[in-house]
Amino acid sequence: MCYKPLFPLCDMFMFYIFRKMSSPAKLRIILGERNLQKLILPDGIPASICELKELIKKQCGIERSFRLQYVDADFGNEFTNLDSISDVLDKSTLRVIFTQETSHLNQSPPPSSSATATSLDDSASGSSVDTDILSSPESTSSRSCWPLVFHIPRFSYETELQLYKANSAFKETGTLLNPNVKLKSAILDGLMEAIVQFKVYLSDAEVSEVAEALVKAHPCLKEPGSVSGFGGWKTSLKYKLGNYRSKQVGCPEVTVNSLKHKADDRRSPAYGIKKPKKAEVNYCPPYPTGESAESLEQIRVKLLSEVKIRNNEDKVAEMMGKTFALRRLEVVHDAPMVADFKARWPGLLSVREVNAEFKRITTVQLQSKFFHQLDALSEKLTRVFARKGGVLGKRIKTIMVPMTQVESIDISRECILRALAVYLNEDPEKLIKDYRSDDLGIEQEMAETVFGIYLIRHEGADPDDDPEDVGITLEGVKVLSGLRNIPLAIVMLFGLVYALNIDYPPDLKYTFEALQKIIMAMEGNRLSKKVQTLKTLLA
């Protein structure tokens, strides 16, 4: 006799859930650019998306709200918003998309028709856009980082209809579309709405990425005679971005980076302001919604007393985030001395806030990415250093000796960073100053240090003993102290270069270029010959 359940669909569903819960599973979680983690689920895939989110928050240390996307095989393995837990299988890849906090959303006005179209497209295309357009006065002082994969937005109804017909014709006969001026303008306008939600200054590689994504999404737009098939679209996008920036009169980022009449017109807002050269993204953001220079100045004054209160880091972090636009405008426009800046913004001078400020400026995680990339490249760097000959090779071998004597990740990192400077024919002793605690001239030497790291050891201490103090000195001012080791100090110094808009010192420019473009992979396509050679050897 065959057993027939009274509720077969319900029983099948419960059996499916039980089967998934009973077998262990692993998921790959994409948290950001080059930031992937493995999620171990001993009890299998959970029964709901909410439970899955809680597990991701717990194992990945996430506190912000987010949504999830999964790789959809039905649509060419593109990312699609996750709406059903049944789409999550063992060894699936999920992407975390951070969303705005409710408080920000409540302050935003009702979206216009164009904004509505954009938000609808976010869910349709799997875009990671969760911020307002830059030119909007409601935009906040932070912005999403450039997506791993740029998704083409949904255009207007008329434009989509024409592209649908042209794509169908291309599939049947291979006929390419030669868009008229109106259609091409509509496509470029739609692309601009998506682009400026991330940044208004794109690198050549990022423009190529957008143009390539366009012809992949709409093959009928490929250009005959073009090697890549999208060269003309790339050129058009560059002109469109230039025209867009010329119209953004009220956007501080565009104003301070404008090069028109910059060299000879002292009345220009951009006069005397250097062009960013270190892959800064959020160079000079607008004030947060409902805030002005006066209201942010009041918060800054309150910060002076808040930083003196113990166990008050969260409150300080919140206020520092809110005043970022005021602080950044001050740094870029006024270029204050370090002593003056420290007096006005003491809350920035901590490990936590240097990390946070770097993320606000570049949209890139500082400390975690730096050490992750350094550790990943350490074996290759060691092999490259070992092949170096001559005087520099002998010096590198001496620097690397502690790695073979002491098993310590901090010592290994320090040796590699010191050897990196020597390999690039620069002197690490110009960056790191070693002192003994009984030296009488420590304070005087620090007061004369323009840019560097100090390390103070006890008299008679061994090289592998913990130092008495490690810190950073800029323009004769001790800006950070109590750092645990040299690698952490180098990371913090790198972050302060961005936070204070400082140029790399001439006698260490190749070392810091390598840290930026090889270790941090920021603007890594434009390198000096010396750093390019090193990058080639590491490939």
Side-chain angles (χ1 to χ4, degrees), residues 13-300:
F13 175 76
M14 293 303 296
F15 172 78
Y16 175 73
I17 294 297
F18 176 79
R19 180 177 62 83
K20 293 188 77 174
M21 289 293 290
S22 60
S23 57
K26 299 177 183 178
L27 301 177
R28 185 174 68 161
I29 308 298
I30 300 177
L31 299 174
E33 184 181 5
R34 300 180 182 87
N35 186 7
L36 294 85
Q37 291 192 26
K38 181 189 291 186
L39 183 69
I40 306 298
L41 302 173
D43 298 324
I45 307 297
S48 68
I49 295 177
C50 290
E51 292 180 29
L52 177 59
K53 284 185 175 181
E54 289 302 318
L55 290 171
I56 293 174
K57 285 184 177 180
K58 184 177 180 180
Q59 291 196 32
C60 299
I62 299 175
E63 297 180 356
R64 297 169 54 191
S65 59
F66 62 89
R67 54 188 172 88
L68 293 172
Q69 294 180 339
Y70 73 103
V71 177
D72 194 340
D74 295 334
F75 294 96
N77 291 328
E78 294 285 346
F79 280 102
T80 305
N81 289 342
L82 179 64
D83 297 318
S84 172
I85 194 66
S86 63
D87 291 319
V88 183
L89 305 176
D90 184 26
K91 297 184 180 179
S92 291
T93 296
L94 302 180
R95 181 164 66 180
V96 171
I97 305 297
F98 293 106
T99 57
Q100 288 179 324
E101 300 296 332
T102 306
S103 58
H104 292 305
L105 294 174
N106 291 339
Q107 295 173 3
S108 301
S112 61
S113 57
S114 60
T116 304
T118 304
S119 63
L120 288 174
D121 174 69
D122 289 347
S123 60
S125 64
S127 169
S128 61
V129 176
D130 283 299
T131 55
D132 297 328
I133 295 176
L134 178 66
S135 58
S136 170
E138 288 79 25
S139 58
T140 64
S141 59
S142 62
R143 195 186 317 167
S144 297
C145 60
W146 188 254
L148 292 173
V149 178
F150 186 88
H151 293 277
I152 300 301
R154 186 179 299 277
F155 302 114
S156 64
Y157 174 78
E158 181 181 351
T159 303
E160 287 287 344
L161 184 60
Q162 294 183 60
L163 290 175
Y164 174 77
K165 293 179 179 179
N167 284 324
S168 299
F170 175 78
K171 289 181 181 179
E172 294 177 1
T173 64
T175 304
L176 294 173
L177 174 65
N178 183 18
N180 57 37
V181 175
K182 182 179 179 181
L183 177 60
K184 187 172 184 178
S185 179
I187 293 173
L188 292 173
D189 287 341
L191 292 175
M192 283 302 303
E193 284 192 10
I195 290 171
V196 299
Q197 298 187 61
F198 300 102
K199 57 168 84 172
V200 294
Y201 290 94
L202 269 65
S203 66
D204 184 78
E206 288 165 343
V207 178
S208 295
E209 186 180 332
V210 176
E212 184 178 4
L214 175 65
V215 298
K216 282 185 177 179
H218 301 287
C220 65
L221 296 176
K222 289 182 179 178
E223 298 164 331
S226 172
V227 176
S228 62
F230 54 82
W233 286 107
K234 179 179 175 180
T235 302
S236 298
L237 276 170
K238 287 185 175 181
Y239 280 113
K240 193 73 176 180
L241 276 166
N243 291 334
Y244 175 86
R245 290 192 294 263
S246 67
K247 297 175 183 178
Q248 303 307 305
V249 180
C251 177
E253 180 178 10
V254 175
T255 300
V256 300
N257 287 290
S258 173
L259 296 179
K260 189 176 182 180
H261 307 306
K262 185 172 181 178
D264 53 4
D265 187 359
R266 292 178 176 270
R267 296 169 298 177
S268 169
Y271 178 80
I273 297 175
K274 61 185 179 183
K275 185 178 180 180
K277 298 179 181 179
K278 301 187 293 292
E280 298 97 327
V281 175
N282 229 356
Y283 188 60
C284 199
Y287 295 142
T289 303
E291 299 292 348
S292 63
E294 291 75 18
S295 63
L296 294 178
E297 175 64 18
Q298 292 176 3
I299 298 176
R300 185 198 68 79

